[in-house]
Amino acid sequence: MSALAFAIVALLLSGPVPAMLARATWPLRAPRAAIVLWQAIALAAVLSAFSAGIAIASRLFEPGADGRPTATFASSIAMLGWPLWTAYVVVFVLTLVIGARLIVSVLRVAIATRRRRAHHRMVVDLVGSHRRRPRSRGGLRILDVAEPLAYCLPGVRSRVVVSEGALNTLSANEVSAILEHENAHLRARHDLVLEMFTAVHAAFPRFVRSAHALNAVRLLIELLADDAAVRAEGPTPLARALVACASGRAPRGALAAGGPTTVVRVRRLGGEPNSRILAAGAYAAAAAVLVVPTVAFALPWLNELHRLFLA
């Protein structure tokens, strides 16, 4: 039953639950807590998938006369029957595949992203002019581009990049707002949060994964950066700057100020403020997502496994 329960929880947390949360509007008023909830769901889904595989593996080893597990396939098949034994083996192999894909995905995303950023950082250092401003981490790189554009390249050697078009189009406080937006990404290392969800998304097979979590987190980290810019310059300068830079395209691996979520973000700036009540509820839900499956399924199974191996 533990294996079945873990498998059901993993499927729910990788499909229906993210789909329902992605349709909700309350995360717009509690972006930080919503990110924590998304992280809890992703972590619980991965842990549940692994726990299902481990629980199934323990069932494949029937206890011998001394109470210790034995690796005799014949006895496992005799106890479970061919259909159930085959299903257990398939799920266990699938769990191993997901684990391997997760490790490979984390390494692949991290290496590829850092290579792209390093290459683009070299390009903007060569062709862009350097300028230092207050609160600008590592200074600015100004590109001679007529289109309004602003983005950041996170990392140890981070860069904030804006175009001449943005500087010529935006007023002083609008420029400050857009720079504070990008610096907020760099300070909080929002790129690492995005990398984790990208790796988890790539690790799960196509028939069980969805893009809801990845797309939602992309929006939420932009909302957090928007909130930092609002605290520094107010909502109106930021809204004008976002509209001006909405069509600007940033390289892969960068975090751009504009993009397809601009309309949602600008509307949010004129809507209701963030809610501490919603944030508290989201934090409580995140804790429940991690704690309840562990208490309900994992502890009884771990106790049984401990008894089995120490018998």
Side-chain angles (χ1 to χ4, degrees):
M1 290 301 297
S2 295
L4 178 61
F6 279 128
I8 293 174
V9 170
L11 290 176
L12 289 175
L13 294 179
S14 60
V17 172
M20 289 188 296
L21 183 56
R23 291 193 295 268
T25 58
W26 66 261
L28 298 179
R29 299 183 59 199
R32 191 180 307 278
I35 288 179
V36 172
L37 179 56
W38 276 112
Q39 290 175 319
I41 291 173
L43 180 59
V46 172
L47 292 178
S48 296
F50 289 163
S51 297
I54 296 173
I56 287 173
S58 69
R59 293 284 295 167
L60 295 176
F61 298 97
E62 182 188 12
D66 58 354
R68 295 182 179 276
T70 175
T72 303
F73 287 106
S75 60
S76 299
I77 296 172
M79 179 183 65
L80 300 173
W82 272 105
L84 185 58
W85 183 87
T86 303
Y88 275 6
V89 170
V90 169
V91 174
F92 179 62
V93 171
L94 183 61
T95 303
L96 295 179
V97 171
I98 292 176
R101 284 169 62 96
L102 181 60
I103 296 174
V104 172
S105 296
V106 169
L107 295 176
R108 180 178 297 172
V109 170
I111 293 172
T113 301
R114 281 155 181 78
R115 282 180 176 173
R116 284 192 293 266
R117 287 174 184 160
H119 174 74
H120 193 74
R121 183 172 57 243
M122 178 187 66
V123 172
V124 297
D125 285 348
L126 288 175
V127 303
S129 59
H130 177 71
R131 187 182 305 174
R132 282 200 170 273
R133 290 176 61 99
R135 298 185 307 212
S136 181
R137 296 169 62 90
L140 288 175
R141 296 298 185 271
I142 313 299
L143 298 183
D144 188 13
V145 177
E147 181 184 18
L149 178 66
Y151 60 89
C152 66
L153 296 169
V156 178
R157 298 169 56 200
S158 60
R159 297 288 186 272
V160 175
V161 182
V162 296
S163 65
E164 290 285 359
L167 297 179
N168 295 332
T169 302
L170 304 179
S171 64
N173 57 346
E174 292 168 357
V175 171
S176 296
I178 211 72
L179 293 181
E180 179 59 27
H181 174 97
E182 300 303 335
N183 284 318
H185 282 316
L186 300 181
R187 288 194 302 268
R189 291 309 306 267
H190 291 155
D191 58 300
L192 298 181
V193 177
L194 197 57
E195 280 186 24
M196 184 200 78
F197 280 92
T198 303
V200 172
H201 174 75
F204 276 84
R206 293 181 182 272
F207 62 89
V208 298
R209 75 185 183 193
S210 70
H212 293 303
L214 184 58
N215 293 334
V217 170
R218 282 174 177 160
L219 172 61
L220 291 172
I221 63 173
E222 294 300 331
L223 300 186
L224 288 178
D226 288 346
D227 288 343
V230 168
R231 288 191 295 269
E233 299 294 336
T236 302
L238 176 62
R240 291 173 177 171
L242 292 178
V243 171
C245 298
S247 60
R249 299 185 61 183
R252 291 183 62 188
L255 298 177
T261 62
T262 300
V263 174
V264 175
R265 291 159 57 196
V266 171
R267 287 177 178 173
R268 172 180 176 265
L269 293 176
E272 298 181 71
N274 290 346
S275 170
R276 292 184 178 181
I277 296 177
L278 290 175
Y283 286 130
V289 166
L290 290 176
V291 172
V292 171
T294 302
V295 173
F297 307 129
L299 291 182
W301 171 70
L302 290 175
N303 289 334
E304 179 63 21
L305 192 63
H306 182 266
R307 183 200 61 78
L308 178 66
F309 277 89
L310 294 183

